[in-house]
Structure formats: C-alpha cells, structure tokens
Amino acid sequence: MKTKIFSLLLSVAACVGLASCHDDNWNPGYGSDTEGSVSLSSMSVDVDTDEALLSRAGVSTDAFLVDLLDKTTGAVKRSYTFGSMPEVVSLPAGDYTVSVRSHNVKDAEWEAPYYVGQTDFTIEVGKITEIGTVSCKFSNIKVTVKYTKELLSYMGDDAKVRVIANDRGELDYSGTETRAGYFAAVEGSTTLVAEFSATIKGNTVTALKTFTDVKAGQHHIITFSVKNGNATIDDEFGTIEASGIKIDADINHETVGGNAPAGDDNQQGTTTRPGEEEWPDEPVTPGPGPDVPGPAVAPIRIEANKDCPKLNLDGGTNKVEDGKAYKVDIYADKLISHLYVKISSDNESFLGSAGAMLPLDFDLAHIEEEHGAELKAMMDDPNTLGLPCDEKVLDKDYVLFDVSGLVPLLSGFPGTHEFTITVEDKEGNTLTKKLILFAQES
C-alpha cells in the first residue's frame, strides 16, 4: 500500500537550478570537497500490508521514524520523522543505510503493528543521491484470541487468556476482547504461550497451551474450544466438576503483507489495498497412494466463492464496490442445523435503517419459526434480501450466502459493516467467519 509519495520535481528543480549556477565540479557540501548530498524529498515509503492495521483510511507514515546510518559502523548520522524531513541533507562521501520504522516497538501492546524497512545508498562528492522507495514490512507478532460458540455459551464473566510471547511480552485477553495484541519478535525465540482460565458451573477451569515456531510477520489466531464432546450435555461429563471440562486450543498462522520469513512458502511482496489482495494459485496436491491417507477435510468450511476469489473472510477488510460479487460458500458435511448471522456496523444510521427492516442477529435455518412468515418472504425475495433460509438451509450440506444485492444499500452508509457467520452442524461442530465490508464516503 503506497503512502505519502513525495514528488521528484523538487529534487529535479534543485539539480537544474544548481547546474545553471555552477560547473560540473560543484559540490553541495557547503564548501567541502569531501561531501555530497542525499535528496530526502525524493524518498517515499511503501507500507506492505494486506490489512488496514493502522487506519481504515490507510497507513499514515508522517510519524514514521527515519534514521540515516553509516553502513560500516552502524552509527546514526541523522534522525527525523518522515513528515518533517528536510529536502536535502549533506553527508561525507561513503556508504549509508536509511532505516524506517513505524515506532519504537514494545514487548507487548494493543493495536500497534510494527513496520520496518531499510535500503542502502552511496554519497559521492559533489553529487545529489536519490534514495527512491523504502519498503516497510509488518515485523512484529499479531495475536488474536477466539472462542467457539459452544465454549462461549459456557464461560463465566471472569474468563481470560494470558498470552506470553518469547518470554517477554505479556497481555491479558478478556472473554470479550476483540482487539489484536502485538508482540515484539525476539531473535532466536519462537514460543507463544496461552493460558486460559474461567469459571464454568461454579468451578475454575484452566488450560495451558504452548505453541512453537511462531514467527514475526504473521497473524496468529488462537481458538479455544471444549475438547471431547458437547459440554452442554451434563451426562457426558458427569457433574462437570473442575476436572470434568477439558479445554483445547488450536493456532492458525496467517502471513501479513507478504512478510514471510526466509524459506516460508507464503506469498511475498504484496502491495495491494485491503480487500484487493493478490491470492496465489491453489496448490496442486497429489492424490493419496495405496499407503498414504488423503488430506483431512474439516467438517465445516466457510470459503470465498469462485466468483470472488479475493474475498477475505479472515479479518481483512473488503472494499465495497458496485457491481462486485460478495459471495460465500458454506459446506457442512454433517448437514446444517443452524446458520447464525449477526450484523454490526460503526455507522449508526445504517444500524437504524437495517434494524427497521430485519433483526440484526438471526438464524437462517429457523427464520419463520423465530421471526415469522413476513421475514421469511423478505429473505426469499431476490428483490429485497435474497438470502436462503429455512428449508433452503436446514439439513443442507451446501449453502451460498450472497450479499452482493446489499452492496447498493451499504454504499450509502460509509463505514465498516460486519457479517459474522456461524455454522453449526448436526454433530455439534461449529465454525465462525467474518465478512467485513468497508464503504468509503463518496
């Protein structure tokens, strides 16, 4: 994502003006015959991210910290913020590195993605050097914590998860915490510890999970769940004492902004805007041989439809554009028992308009049963909502969730609109994904 690009005209004009007054041996070092100059007005910063992590409007680089360092010794020769750099700086001839970072990174902090980048340049006597573009990549560790619907329905208000990264950074996530925590990457350390605690039916239940091979430049999503069955059925766990509830956790790693470490197979160098990421081709997986089992398939999958392969369902923002498809494929091998949809927005006018038309939290598998025939008719009508419901959802193994028809409505309400989709199958498996749409003010 390109941000704040200075025009090259300033440096070009400076060169033309200076050439008209001096011969080819002129040097800009205030009389010194050992100095040259670097044009900072020609320098731009490119923030490489697939999520609007600092701002919905993009990443502002004005406060980014810029250091000019001696490449040999590492000594800092000049320091500025990107928004207050002078146009031209004089330095002794030699090799230098310009280092750019978003801020001074802390061991742990909320909503503070850390970007860093650098490039080398050489100062020659009597000449002006142009740096060009410095690409900054996401370089700390992003962690979010989630819970399955089954566990959420069972947790007490005191539920929390303590996350410790690399034995340094530490944050406590409450049961309702939706922010992302950001942890400093420590060279040689790749450990993430998550400690769950909650009161469940009057008993304190804890679980400690340790994850290894945690890398900078990734978004680590930790999802806690109830292990070995449905915790709402008392008989399955007896009296459900403290030792009767078993908590498990899985971690999903997603590379942010193409900043995969060396040797990682994740895509590299993406510079697209939120919701417009370049997705790699699907990998070709050899079929199972006579002694090799096939890959395990999740019982529930919520995926972007083939008509919109770039649609992000993992927390990324999708830009609202008229005529663009917003379709989600829902697969449930064990058949759908519930398809919950919750609509939220930071635009109060949208919430008021949408809330006057339909409930903002509903189950598409049981619309008429819970909300009546009138809402079912609206759901069925392609000219109003056009969402599948009741017999088109219940006991099905596939449903197309298509909100493309709502885009004209969303376009009139600038802001971020979230559709939280939770699928539950006949065996109690659940999966939640978020379709986040951002409508820009016209």
Side-chain angles (χ1 to χ4, degrees):
M1 178 186 307
K2 297 198 178 295
T3 57
K4 190 181 177 186
I5 300 179
F6 280 104
S7 171
L8 297 178
L9 294 177
L10 288 174
S11 58
V12 172
C15 292
V16 172
L18 292 171
S20 66
C21 300
H22 300 275
D23 61 25
D24 291 341
N25 294 321
W26 174 83
N27 85 77
Y30 303 103
S32 170
D33 59 0
T34 62
E35 292 188 339
S37 296
V38 57
S39 170
L40 298 182
S41 63
S42 66
M43 172 181 156
S44 64
V45 171
D46 184 42
V47 179
D48 187 3
T49 175
D50 62 3
E51 299 181 59
L53 294 172
L54 291 184
S55 166
R56 287 196 184 99
V59 178
S60 173
T61 59
D62 285 351
F64 275 34
L65 305 176
V66 179
D67 292 327
L68 305 182
L69 305 98
D70 185 298
K71 185 178 178 180
T72 302
T73 65
V76 178
K77 297 299 183 181
R78 302 284 192 279
S79 292
Y80 310 98
T81 60
F82 186 64
S84 63
M85 294 189 305
E87 293 182 11
V88 180
V89 172
S90 294
L91 292 167
D95 294 326
Y96 294 86
T97 298
V98 57
S99 173
V100 181
R101 62 194 188 279
S102 56
H103 61 285
N104 291 319
V105 67
K106 296 180 180 179
D107 287 341
E109 49 191 328
W110 296 107
E111 299 294 351
Y114 177 62
Y115 298 98
V116 65
Q118 64 179 38
T119 191
D120 296 333
F121 65 96
T122 299
I123 294 291
E124 298 182 50
V125 173
K127 295 184 178 180
I128 296 179
T129 298
E130 292 183 352
I131 293 176
T133 299
V134 180
S135 180
C136 289
K137 295 182 179 295
F138 174 64
S139 299
N140 58 347
I141 298 168
K142 177 181 180 181
V143 177
T144 53
V145 174
K146 297 183 178 181
Y147 311 90
T148 61
K149 183 181 178 184
E150 180 183 25
L151 180 56
L152 274 173
S153 67
Y154 220 58
M155 290 174 1
D157 293 337
D158 62 343
K160 73 173 183 179
V161 173
R162 175 162 295 172
V163 175
I164 304 172
N166 300 323
D167 299 322
R168 288 192 185 179
E170 181 177 314
L171 290 174
D172 285 340
Y173 294 70
S174 71
T176 58
E177 182 62 75
T178 59
R179 293 176 299 172
Y182 291 84
F183 300 83
V186 178
E187 186 174 355
S189 181
T190 60
T191 301
L192 190 70
V193 177
E195 182 180 6
F196 171 92
S197 64
T199 299
I200 295 180
K201 285 208 168 184
N203 296 292
T204 299
V205 177
T206 62
L208 183 68
K209 295 287 288 189
T210 300
F211 304 99
T212 57
D213 198 28
V214 173
K215 301 173 183 177
Q218 289 182 329
H219 177 189
H220 305 285
I221 305 168
I222 304 173
T223 303
F224 282 87
S225 60
V226 175
K227 187 177 182 180
N228 297 331
N230 189 338
T232 62
I233 303 174
D234 286 14
D235 291 342
E236 188 161 348
F237 293 97
T239 58
I240 311 191
E241 295 175 348
S243 60
I245 292 291
K246 296 181 180 179
I247 305 297
D248 197 11
D250 292 317
I251 190 167
N252 183 34
H253 312 280
E254 298 177 356
T255 298
V256 176
N259 192 22
D264 201 316
D265 290 334
N266 295 85
Q267 68 190 80
Q268 300 274 345
T270 177
T271 57
T272 52
R273 299 180 62 83
E276 300 174 355
E277 298 83 357
E278 292 297 326
W279 285 50
D281 294 335
E282 289 293 325
V284 178
T285 304
D291 300 317
V292 181
V297 178
I300 302 175
R301 282 98 61 205
I302 303 177
E303 304 168 353
N305 181 266
K306 61 181 178 60
D307 292 340
C308 43
K310 297 180 182 179
L311 196 65
N312 193 314
L313 298 171
D314 294 309
T317 302
N318 302 276
K319 184 179 178 181
V320 170
E321 297 179 26
D322 288 341
K324 191 173 180 179
Y326 300 88
K327 301 179 181 180
V328 177
D329 290 331
I330 298 173
Y331 300 91
D333 294 342
K334 305 301 180 182
L335 307 183
I336 296 172
S337 62
H338 298 279
L339 202 170
Y340 301 101
V341 178
K342 182 177 181 180
I343 303 173
S344 60
S345 175
D346 60 7
N347 187 307
E348 294 298 329
S349 297
F350 170 77
L351 289 177
S353 299
M357 184 172 60
L358 76 163
L360 300 181
D361 195 345
F362 50 85
D363 181 358
L364 283 172
H366 302 275
I367 283 292
E368 186 169 5
E369 173 188 339
E370 297 180 358
H371 300 286
E374 184 177 352
L375 181 59
K376 174 178 168 57
M378 291 176 60
M379 290 289 183
D380 283 336
D381 185 356
N383 295 318
T384 52
L385 295 176
L387 294 176
C389 64
D390 289 346
E391 70 277 0
K392 296 178 182 178
V393 174
L394 186 63
D395 295 334
K396 300 297 183 183
D397 62 0
Y398 170 77
V399 168
L400 176 64
F401 182 80
D402 184 2
V403 295
S404 306
L406 296 178
V407 167
L409 172 65
L410 296 178
S411 298
F413 295 94
T416 300
H417 314 295
E418 295 186 1
F419 295 82
T420 302
I421 306 167
T422 300
V423 180
E424 182 177 338
D425 68 15
K426 292 291 186 177
E427 293 190 355
N429 301 301
T430 62
L431 180 64
T432 298
K433 292 279 188 176
K434 277 191 177 184
L435 173 59
I436 303 176
L437 302 179
F438 174 63
Q440 195 167 12
E441 189 168 4
S442 58

